[in-house]
Amino acid sequence: MSDGVVGAASLDVDQQQQRQAVFLQIYPRLSQDKAACCTLQVSPGATAAMVIQKAGVTLGLDMTSPYALLEVRQAEGEERRLGDTEMPVERVLLWPPGARKRHPQEKGYYFILQAQGGEGALGSETDNGGVPSLEECDDLCSLSTLTEDTILAALRLRFYKHNIYTYARGILVAINPFKFLPIYNPKYVMMYNNQPLGKLSPHIFAVADVAYHTMLKQQENQCVVISGESGSGKTQSTNFLIHCLTALSQKGYSSGVKRTILGAGPVLEAFGNAKTAQNNNSSRFGKFIRVNYLESGVVRGAVVEKYLLEKCRLVFRAKNERNYHVFYYLLVGASKEEQREFSLLQPEDYTYLQQEYFHLEDAEDLRHEFERLHQAMEMVGFLPSTKKQIFSMLSAILYLGNVTYTQSEDGQGLEAGPADVLSTLSDLLKVEESINQSIYLLCNHSINIFTRDSMAKSLYSSLFDWIVLHINHALLNRRDMEEAVSCLSIGILDIFGFEDFQTNSFEQFCINYANEKLQYYFNQHIFKLEQKEYQAEGISWSTIDYTDNLGCIHLISQKPTGLFHLLDEESNLPQATDDTLLDKFKQQHQDNPYFVPTTVMLPAFVIQHFAGKVKYQIKDFRKKNTDHMRPDIVALLRSSERAFMRQLIGSDPVAVFRWGILRATIRIIAAFNEAGSRRAVPGLVKCTSRRSIGELKRRPSSALQRLSSSLLDFSFDRSDDNPLEVFEDIFANYEKKKKSKASKHKQLIPTNLMNSRSLKHIVGLTLHDRASRSLLHPHQRKKPPSISAQFQASLNKLLETVGKAEPFFIRCIRSNAEKKEMLFDNALVQQQLRYTGMLETVRIQKSGYNAKFTFTEFLEQFKVLLPKEATTAPEDIANLLQKIGLGQSTYQIGKTKVFLKEREKQHLQDTLNKEVMRHIIILQRWFRACLSRSHFLYKKDAAIRIQRCWRAFRADTRCRAATVIQAAWRGSQKRTDYLRKRNSIKKMQTLIRNKQGRNRVRSRKRPNHKRRLAYARSGLMFNLKGSQESEFWSFPLPPMSPSPGVSGMGLSNQSEVNIRPRKPEVQVPTAISPYSYPLSSEGSGQPHNPTIRISPASRVSEKWNASLEREITNTNELRNLDEFLGNQVNELRTRAKELSATESIFLTATMQFRETIKGMYSVSKPHISYKGLMKGYQNRVSSLAEAKQQTEVQSVVNLFQSVLDGFIRGEIKRAEAGPVKVVLNRPNSPLDHMFSTYQVNIMQSCDLCGSYIWGMEKAYMCSACKLICHKKCLSKIINACSTRCDDGVPGHLHFGVQVCVLTSKTYPIPMVVQMMLEHVEMNGLYTEGIYRKSGSACHARELHQLLETSKTNYSIHTVTGLVKRWLRELPEPLLTFSLYNDFLHAVELPEQSEQLRAVYQKLDDLPPSNFNTLERLVFHLVSTSPFILPDSSNPPSSIQRCVEILILEQFRRYTEKMQEITELEFAEALAVNKLMLKRQNTVNRTLEEHFGSTITLL
């Protein structure tokens, strides 16, 4: 019983474990062929070791070998090895809910089983006994082990980290993520600029940059070959390359060519791309874009070549595929007016657009794309009238599909209908409806349908050819037609990818043949030629096998049994059918390994391509190979009244163009003759009513509209009939448009290109594709070439062009077949890697030698590293390579060349750079030593001179000391003699005084007598008796003696005295001596106290001197002064009919003075004294006055001073009234960014919000750091511009520091520059040779140290020399290092207008501090340009020419503006005076009428 209980208990446990069992999906990654996956039922506690054991048993693996279990998390981009004790079920619980049950591989979370020693385990973790993790690498050649699995794992790891680009040495592998990634903004173009390949992370911009700089360095043409199957992203990669190349190559040259190149892409995509099952934007034609450059690297033009447009897509498509994009753009995005004009219907109403379950889920995107197409066509040069003609033609092609055929009533034939469709079609094509209806009437219904479709396809193909021709004409540069002008180019090949659909026809056959040729070219360049060169040089090399597809190419195109040639033979036989063609294929190639036969009942054949087997349906092969319109259809279209239609059908564009010119000339002559005859007959003139331009424009099909558009549009034939009476109005209107600066329709294509020579040149460039025009010829003497023959010829021409250039390869890979975002399909990617031979490519790139030098090239490039006596001998080169430590396996020396691997070449280049830098340092050290020694010798010589002078001074001092001693001794002797004599004299004086004293005592007893000593001494004659001559002029007198007794005599100690006569009453100020005393008449008890009176002229003079001390500290005061002086001058002009000499000098000097004031507007914070202005005015008047007019100078100056005083009083009153608040609308430039509007050409992302910026939208881009954002995101910026300096107050150092350090928001211009320029403009404007002559070096050093002091004590040439020194000592030029070369390239442009446009475009990219300083400096040079004497002996350099362009252009603008201001001011003064006179006349007339009526009443 116990045994039964135990058994029952164990059974319950087993059942419980089964209920808790979990299913795990395991995907093996093994070398042997095993099942794609296996499902295991394990318990929750099963370890990784148990799961590996169970999976091995299920898959039948040899368990003696170790295996590892990997956890894959694609969202995180990692593969992690599970330890033996880890439980996989616990890891599954951490996954998203959708991936836990059965965890399919599409969810991105699953387990992988692989061998313990295998590769492919990815992740950042490793265990001691586990599988080593594979590190992420940018280059597939860096992988330690090269297998298909390791390459696939490396690409998968990078893909899930959003790194879609990977290098294989010089080859770029690009995986299409089916999602836009924000890595194509302008800052990435700047980041990869002039960087070697491999230094930064892989990017398509790096390939474009290397191709561009390789072209400039080697002066050889380059080519970028983009290959891959349909849906791999080739078209988008082409757009990225074009965007980067134009951004790199513009060099300040704007826009005309760049805009056209960037606009051509969307136009060609709209008309040549369509949505397929594999790709939403699949190219249904091939194109080769060749961008031409000047030797300086400036783009100058381009050529677009197209190959094999898939015309059958217009009338038939596979399931879930669409027609060409442009039809949906037009039908969904057209306005109501355009819908009425072109008679547009809904998309589902057109037979050519109908498909099963038709629904446009992306209608909003289609509307946006239609707007983008409009902008792109304008960029290319299509005028509105041309666009209307193109859209009208598209509508007519769609209406052709709606033409149906029904049995006639009599049953004898077919009738075309419906009637409304035929009527609309006739109106769109401008053909007669009866002819249009009868042309289809053939007995066979299928033949009629085929004819209709053939007509539609031919029209669309002709329209596409015309658009390509127009684009090439817009991209043409006139220098391209000159054979003597050298030209460099970069070609970009974007050709259709390999295709394998459910139903493959003639188009897929041609497309896959083109891919076979490209694969052969790739194999030849990478494998065959490379290994052949190794063998020829005799180096040790083990041959790497690769799959050669030459046999498949011979199968298709080799004469005489190639499939193409058999197809042409059958196409020429009238009795042949598609079945006979298939039988001939099988009969000729049944033994060919690349031709796989099919069963007899299956109308198809299979070809073994390099990418796999493809089955082609033989149906319609012959028809598509000879697809062309019947001659009667061609004749019908040529009878159209629409000239545009005749251009499309014309077989030779040059002939059509010439015939159009001839026809227009004949019609113009006839119009003039008839107009002249009508003028000669009066009766005809009266009866003929001339229509106005407005009336003619209101006509629906106005002849004026057609002819006026022909004058401006790019057309070859304008043969429409025009009323002769309107020719005169037409020419008058055209001349008016030419003279008008703001013409509405601007001619975008240069006029000098609109000739038959340029058109012939373009047709000659694309001659290989013009053979299809012969299909439209109505009378063919010989049969036109077949479509396959044309395609082979154009493809051979293409490969010949590509073969002449140095190629760069980009391999595009489709990540998944469902077009899902960021999904990596291992099987699909591995299949593409396998058939493209990626493993062999990486192997030869890793084992091969990328760097090759001939012995002579090696010696020239690395001569610095070699000894002086080194030659081109291999021994010297080998010694050098061994000396720098290169391994024997990293290089080889052949018979004539040196082979190096890429890493070793970079190491050798770095060693060369270090050695060159060492030599530079030695030269610098030697130069500094020579300079120091010269300074030492100079100082030594100065010290010797000082010592010599000091010794001479000491000797002279001793001599003078002896002289002083001798003089002192002689003086002592003389003084002794003097003292002795003085004592003797004193004794004699004492005796005499005693005697006189006694005599004085005796005389006191005698009577007194009056003394008149004072009056006698004064020398003045006074009548103290009150006579009429008692008042005289007085002048100050010095005192008789300084004794105090003088003051006691009643004299006043006044400084000056005025004795006033009665007549005349004049006050004379006298203030000369401090010792002047007033005179008082004898007998007066009080002294005379005169008053000091100053005349009115003296008082005004003192007020003037006081007002002139005022300073101008605001630019508004300068403007007010300029306006005030202008009003005074205009008033003087209008008031005086004839000016006197003084007034003429005043008028001329004041106008020149106003120009000086205008030159000071750029000063942000001026400090200008009126005294300085007055001094400058006086100098100007002195220079203007002739010798005979020097007497008038003071009068003119006094007149101007009185005018200036009136202005100053007004300014003082305005200042006392208080400041006026002015709100300034300053442009928002957050955090020192320099934003400008930027038209986006490829989809980009906003650097702030991360959302998309669609093509042709407007965005804001910082020209310095290349930050790009929406307008609404400007307020979100929190990071300052990376190329700017932080704001701050300028420090004490003004020389040798960056401009941005010296500037701030308060000081936009460096203060030291502002001060010096102001001083030069105020004091030295008329100095000869201001900047040519140099000032005193000693004074310059003093001024350099005393920048804060006044500079009036220094000469003008000293200040200007210091300005030049400040510019020389800048660590970075004002034009900045990053833009310096762009300015130099701008000067090298051929046309002067292009130079000017390029220079001013680059000025906008300067930092604000540099721009403001340069603007102030150029303004200063413009104001002083007549006084700068250039040295014409030496030719100017490029930068001098650049500055000269700026100065001349600014001077021209300055002169024009001044002239306009003068004219406006004079006109304003005249108007004011006339209004005043009218007002006075009106008042006088009113008063007269009033008084007259009053007198009448009285």
Side-chain angles (χ1 to χ4, degrees), residues 220-240:
E220 295 180 356
N221 296 338
Q222 306 295 313
C223 175
V224 182
V225 180
I226 306 175
S227 60
E229 65 180 36
S230 181
S232 59
K234 299 184 299 300
T235 302
Q236 199 65 22
S237 298
T238 303
N239 294 336
F240 293 149

Side-chain angles (χ1 to χ4, degrees), residues 851-869:
K852 309 165 197 174
F853 303 94
T854 63
F855 293 156
T856 305
E857 293 174 349
F858 190 90
L859 181 64
E860 292 177 355
Q861 185 167 352
F862 301 101
K863 190 175 183 178
V864 178
L865 300 177
L866 293 168
K868 293 183 179 180
E869 64 279 358

Side-chain angles (χ1 to χ4, degrees), residues 409-655:
E409 295 179 357
D410 55 2
Q412 298 298 324
L414 299 176
E415 292 183 353
D420 56 341
V421 173
L422 293 179
S423 176
T424 304
L425 188 61
S426 299
D427 183 63
L428 292 173
L429 296 178
K430 296 298 179 185
V431 296
E432 295 183 9
E433 183 176 352
S434 58
I435 301 178
N436 185 25
Q437 188 173 6
S438 61
I439 199 70
Y440 297 106
L441 298 182
L442 297 176
C443 298
N444 195 325
H445 183 272
S446 61
I447 294 178
N448 283 331
I449 295 295
F450 177 78
T451 302
R452 179 200 67 186
D453 294 343
S454 177
M455 180 179 177
K457 289 186 291 184
S458 298
L459 281 178
Y460 190 80
S461 177
S462 300
L463 177 63
F464 191 77
D465 290 343
W466 188 90
I467 291 174
V468 173
L469 185 66
H470 184 105
I471 292 173
N472 285 328
H473 206 281
L475 291 173
L476 181 65
N477 189 294
R478 61 183 178 84
R479 302 187 68 187
D480 291 336
M481 296 184 290
E482 301 174 5
E483 297 180 358
V485 179
S486 59
C487 172
L488 299 175
S489 66
I490 297 179
I492 301 175
L493 177 60
D494 174 24
I495 204 165
F496 11 64
F498 190 85
E499 294 181 350
D500 185 8
F501 299 149
Q502 291 182 353
T503 302
N504 301 295
S505 186
F506 177 75
E507 290 77 17
Q508 282 70 39
F509 182 67
C510 295
I511 288 173
N512 292 341
Y513 170 69
N515 281 270
E516 288 282 355
K517 295 282 285 187
L518 286 181
Q519 180 66 21
Y520 178 76
Y521 171 77
F522 178 82
N523 291 339
Q524 287 286 106
H525 189 83
I526 298 298
F527 294 102
K528 190 172 183 178
L529 298 179
E530 191 80 10
Q531 298 187 96
K532 186 178 180 180
E533 185 179 14
Y534 294 159
Q535 295 173 1
E537 287 292 327
I539 64 175
S540 58
W541 173 258
S542 57
T543 303
I544 296 177
D545 297 330
Y546 64 95
T547 303
D548 192 358
N549 63 337
L550 185 60
C552 184
I553 294 175
H554 287 167
L555 168 68
I556 298 175
S557 61
Q558 189 178 28
K559 293 182 179 181
T561 59
L563 300 182
F564 274 142
H565 298 282
L566 296 178
L567 175 61
D568 291 343
E569 290 179 1
E570 289 294 307
S571 299
N572 294 329
L573 298 176
Q575 297 83 10
T577 61
D578 292 334
D579 295 333
T580 58
L581 175 64
L582 180 61
D583 294 338
K584 184 174 287 188
F585 282 174
K586 293 180 179 180
Q587 180 181 359
Q588 291 289 340
H589 300 286
Q590 57 182 353
D591 298 330
N592 195 312
Y594 294 97
F595 186 88
V596 181
T598 57
T599 59
V600 177
M601 300 301 297
L602 185 63
F605 62 96
V606 179
I607 294 180
Q608 179 67 48
H609 289 284
F610 72 99
K613 295 181 180 180
V614 179
K615 182 171 65 174
Y616 299 99
Q617 303 295 327
I618 197 66
K619 183 180 178 181
D620 294 336
F621 254 62
R622 294 178 61 259
K623 290 182 179 180
K624 293 178 179 180
N625 191 39
T626 58
D627 192 7
H628 61 276
M629 285 191 292
R630 297 194 332 243
D632 53 351
I633 300 293
V634 176
L636 167 67
L637 296 177
R638 287 193 172 184
S639 66
S640 171
E641 297 179 3
R642 189 182 296 275
F644 183 74
M645 172 64 68
R646 294 195 295 273
Q647 294 172 26
L648 297 183
I649 302 303
S651 59
D652 187 2
V654 180

Side-chain angles (χ1 to χ4, degrees), residues 680-715:
V681 182
L684 290 177
V685 176
K686 292 181 180 180
C687 66
T688 303
S689 61
R690 290 181 55 199
R691 300 182 181 92
S692 64
I693 298 297
E695 293 176 354
L696 290 170
K697 285 184 177 179
R698 286 191 291 268
R699 294 177 60 188
S701 59
S702 174
L704 169 65
Q705 182 178 359
R706 291 195 295 270
L707 186 59
S708 61
S709 63
S710 69
L711 292 172
L712 296 178
D713 195 6
F714 177 83
S715 301

Side-chain angles (χ1 to χ4, degrees), residues 175-456:
I175 303 179
N176 187 7
F178 292 100
K179 175 183 178 181
F180 176 76
L181 301 179
I183 57 174
Y184 305 104
N185 287 5
K187 62 181 180 181
Y188 290 95
V189 178
M190 183 176 65
M191 181 173 67
Y192 283 92
N193 185 17
N194 205 11
Q195 298 293 333
L197 196 67
K199 183 176 182 180
L200 301 177
S201 59
H203 201 286
I204 194 170
F205 288 170
V207 176
D209 181 80
V210 171
Y212 175 73
H213 287 94
T214 304
M215 176 194 68
L216 295 181
K217 183 179 179 181
Q218 299 180 0
Q219 292 294 303
E220 295 180 356
N221 296 338
Q222 306 295 313
C223 175
V224 182
V225 180
I226 306 175
S227 60
E229 65 180 36
S230 181
S232 59
K234 299 184 299 300
T235 302
Q236 199 65 22
S237 298
T238 303
N239 294 336
F240 293 149
L241 284 173
I242 293 293
H243 173 75
C244 184
L245 287 175
T246 52
L248 286 172
S249 59
Q250 56 183 332
K251 296 291 180 186
Y253 179 55
S254 79
S255 57
V257 177
K258 176 188 173 184
R259 283 173 54 85
T260 307
I261 293 176
L262 295 177
V267 175
L268 293 176
E269 287 183 19
F271 286 87
N273 288 25
K275 183 177 180 180
T276 64
Q278 299 178 351
N279 190 2
N280 291 337
N281 189 30
S282 178
S283 294
R284 308 319 301 163
F285 72 105
K287 63 176 177 290
F288 181 69
I289 304 175
R290 186 169 69 249
V291 185
N292 298 327
Y293 300 88
L294 298 174
E295 293 182 354
S296 59
V298 177
V299 60
R300 75 173 191 184
V303 177
V304 179
E305 302 178 16
K306 69 97 177 175
Y307 303 93
L308 191 67
L309 178 69
E310 187 184 16
K311 295 184 292 185
C312 66
R313 174 168 295 273
L314 187 70
V315 299
F316 174 77
R317 293 158 308 283
K319 185 179 180 181
N320 298 328
E321 291 191 359
R322 288 185 183 177
N323 212 317
Y324 289 103
H325 291 325
V326 67
F327 295 113
Y328 304 97
Y329 295 168
L330 176 63
L331 298 178
V332 177
S335 62
K336 293 183 179 180
E337 181 181 355
E338 290 174 333
Q339 290 177 0
R340 289 193 300 269
E341 182 177 1
F342 306 135
S343 304
L344 299 180
L345 308 175
Q346 294 300 317
E348 57 270 13
D349 296 334
Y350 291 105
T351 304
Y352 284 161
L353 301 182
Q354 290 177 356
Q355 60 187 45
E356 189 177 359
Y357 307 113
F358 181 80
H359 177 64
L360 295 177
E361 66 280 356
D362 54 349
E364 190 63 33
D365 294 340
L366 294 176
R367 293 189 186 94
H368 173 77
E369 291 295 336
F370 186 66
E371 296 177 0
R372 183 187 177 209
L373 175 62
H374 266 293
Q375 297 177 7
M377 295 176 76
E378 291 177 1
M379 291 171 63
V380 172
F382 290 103
L383 298 180
S385 58
T386 308
K387 290 190 289 185
K388 289 182 179 180
Q389 292 171 347
I390 292 174
F391 295 148
S392 176
M393 184 60 59
L394 293 176
S395 177
I397 292 173
L398 290 177
Y399 269 100
L400 274 175
N402 290 355
V403 175
T404 58
Y405 301 95
T406 57
Q407 194 73 26
S408 60
E409 295 179 357
D410 55 2
Q412 298 298 324
L414 299 176
E415 292 183 353
D420 56 341
V421 173
L422 293 179
S423 176
T424 304
L425 188 61
S426 299
D427 183 63
L428 292 173
L429 296 178
K430 296 298 179 185
V431 296
E432 295 183 9
E433 183 176 352
S434 58
I435 301 178
N436 185 25
Q437 188 173 6
S438 61
I439 199 70
Y440 297 106
L441 298 182
L442 297 176
C443 298
N444 195 325
H445 183 272
S446 61
I447 294 178
N448 283 331
I449 295 295
F450 177 78
T451 302
R452 179 200 67 186
D453 294 343
S454 177
M455 180 179 177

Side-chain angles (χ1 to χ4, degrees), residues 988-1004:
M988 292 174 65
Q989 288 177 346
T990 301
L991 292 176
I992 295 171
R993 285 173 182 161
N994 289 336
K995 184 178 180 179
Q996 290 177 353
R998 289 192 294 270
N999 294 335
R1000 195 180 297 115
V1001 173
R1002 295 191 191 104
S1003 64
R1004 287 179 181 175

